[in-house]
Amino acid sequence: MTSFKNRSLLNVESLSTEGIERLFSRAKSIKNQINAGQLPQPTLAGKQIVLFFTEASTRTKLSFQMAAQRLGAQCLIVDDQQRSSLSKGESLSDTFWTLHSLRPDLIIVRCGGEAPLEDWIEKSRIPVINAGFGSIAHPTQALLDAFTIEDIFGSLQDRRILIVGDVDHSRVAHSHFRLLKRLGAKITVCGPKMMTTLIPQGIDVESDLDKAMKNCDVFMGLRVQFERHRNQSFSKESYIKNYSLDEKRLQNLPKEALIMHPGPVNWGVEFQEGVENHAQFKMWDQKQNGVFVRAALMEILLGSH
Ligand code: CP
């Protein structure tokens, strides 16, 4: 697929619309097959896939692993810095190139923004997938979120997506801006001023959440990334009062609007207890779809479909 530079995925900008359509169509077939209880074809049999994760992850890492294994690939996981030679002072780059020199078929990387991921992808002789890069980009999360919305509504064209919370620190939101807009959605962000300073042109900003909610098709909560708020003062009480989704605030949401969150959720902060019982709460669908979208992506990058 020519839309993936070096058959790698650094960010969503490198994807063509046709590439995204092909990816979603394949993800949908895998989803239908698995949901029908059928075993998918082992299209990645014999492939060795390295997951190199230097930042914490549950859903991204395990959904890539689950997807790879469902399609017959084997996974090697490097995710414990204390048990790798990173703990002896080996650099991130030396670790990446060590893994590369073992000649796997694909490397999937989650790393902080200090890692030279672009350079690795540029020089790599095998496909590399960005599985979350600092606060910069998280293309596969944006893809699975777009797939989830499309799967329910049929299309993202003119859908109004409301992204709420810690936008500045969210690699997911930065990828959403690019991908969802490309697919025809209209995006509005809402959050405290200190969390919404990095909003690109073409994205609307609304400070009143109750007002913004009345005009949306998707409410996308974002995790407050406390670990990235090093020198910023933050009032949790004020955040909860103005931006937390609870049962009272849910009354502003149109009946058909989806409630989504890339996870993990800080319960009691972004969402209050009870939100998960709403008929349109789609967070678990997002997680499941992560397996199908990532399976399709790996097949395409490895030329296996
Ligand atoms: N949404 C997401 O990237 O979750 P993990 O950090 O658990 O992978």
Side-chain angles (χ1 to χ4, degrees), residues 149 153 155-164 176-190 199-205 212 215-220:
I149 298 167
F153 287 139
S155 159
L156 277 96
Q157 190 63 46
D158 297 327
R159 290 291 172 187
R160 301 157 303 171
I161 318 290
L162 176 62
I163 300 181
V164 181
H176 279 153
F177 292 155
R178 293 171 177 88
L179 183 72
L180 303 184
K181 256 177 79 79
R182 171 106 73 76
L183 296 175
K186 297 182 189 332
I187 303 179
T188 301
V189 300
C190 183
I199 312 302
Q201 279 196 336
I203 307 291
D204 293 331
V205 180
N215 296 305
C216 76
D217 297 303
V218 176
F219 181 110
M220 180 77 70

Side-chain angles (χ1 to χ4, degrees), residues 34-261:
I34 290 178
N35 284 351
Q38 295 162 4
L39 280 178
Q41 290 292 311
T43 48
L44 299 185
K47 303 290 187 194
Q48 301 274 357
I49 297 176
V50 167
L51 289 99
F52 176 35
F53 277 51
T54 65
E55 282 198 342
S57 169
T58 298
R59 65 225 81 219
T60 308
K61 183 177 66 186
L62 293 178
S63 61
F64 266 118
Q65 187 182 4
M66 174 74 80
Q69 291 178 182
R70 279 213 187 263
L71 299 179
Q74 289 184 317
C75 294
L76 294 86
I77 302 182
V78 180
D79 66 348
D80 183 347
Q81 302 207 26
Q82 288 313 309
R83 292 169 68 87
S84 79
S85 289
L86 287 163
S87 68
K88 295 187 267 183
E90 187 165 43
S91 68
L92 284 173
S93 282
D94 279 358
T95 305
F96 175 85
W97 292 115
T98 297
L99 299 172
H100 185 272
S101 66
L102 300 177
R103 305 294 296 272
D105 298 285
L106 168 68
I107 305 181
I108 300 168
V109 180
R110 163 154 307 183
C111 56
E114 75 288 355
L117 181 59
E118 276 183 59
D119 185 59
W120 295 345
I121 287 181
E122 192 65 40
K123 294 180 180 151
S124 176
R125 280 181 284 105
I126 54 170
V128 177
I129 297 177
N130 170 5
F133 179 26
S135 299
I136 302 165
H138 194 350
T140 62
Q141 180 71 46
L143 286 165
L144 75 90
D145 290 343
F147 175 84
T148 302
I149 298 167
E150 189 177 295
D151 203 29
I152 296 168
F153 287 139
S155 159
L156 277 96
Q157 190 63 46
D158 297 327
R159 290 291 172 187
R160 301 157 303 171
I161 318 290
L162 176 62
I163 300 181
V164 181
D166 193 357
V167 177
D168 284 358
H169 292 107
S170 174
R171 52 189 167 215
V172 178
H174 297 304
S175 291
H176 279 153
F177 292 155
R178 293 171 177 88
L179 183 72
L180 303 184
K181 256 177 79 79
R182 171 106 73 76
L183 296 175
K186 297 182 189 332
I187 303 179
T188 301
V189 300
C190 183
K193 274 205 174 76
M194 64 170 282
M195 294 180 177
T196 52
T197 64
L198 305 174
I199 312 302
Q201 279 196 336
I203 307 291
D204 293 331
V205 180
E206 171 58 62
S207 55
D208 181 339
L209 180 58
D210 295 306
K211 184 174 161 204
M213 283 175 67
K214 289 180 180 149
N215 296 305
C216 76
D217 297 303
V218 176
F219 181 110
M220 180 77 70
L222 294 178
R223 184 172 71 87
V224 176
Q225 304 204 11
F226 294 105
E227 74 279 17
R228 299 194 202 268
H229 283 232
R230 286 191 189 94
N231 298 316
Q232 290 167 294
S233 58
F234 169 71
S235 160
K236 203 192 243 192
E237 292 68 34
S238 164
Y239 184 90
I240 291 168
K241 177 169 176 276
N242 294 304
Y243 303 104
S244 188
L245 188 60
D246 57 17
E247 298 204 44
K248 179 163 177 273
R249 195 159 256 149
L250 269 172
Q251 291 168 13
N252 293 313
L253 206 60
K255 193 164 164 284
E256 305 301 325
L258 313 180
I259 301 168
M260 299 175 66
H261 192 304

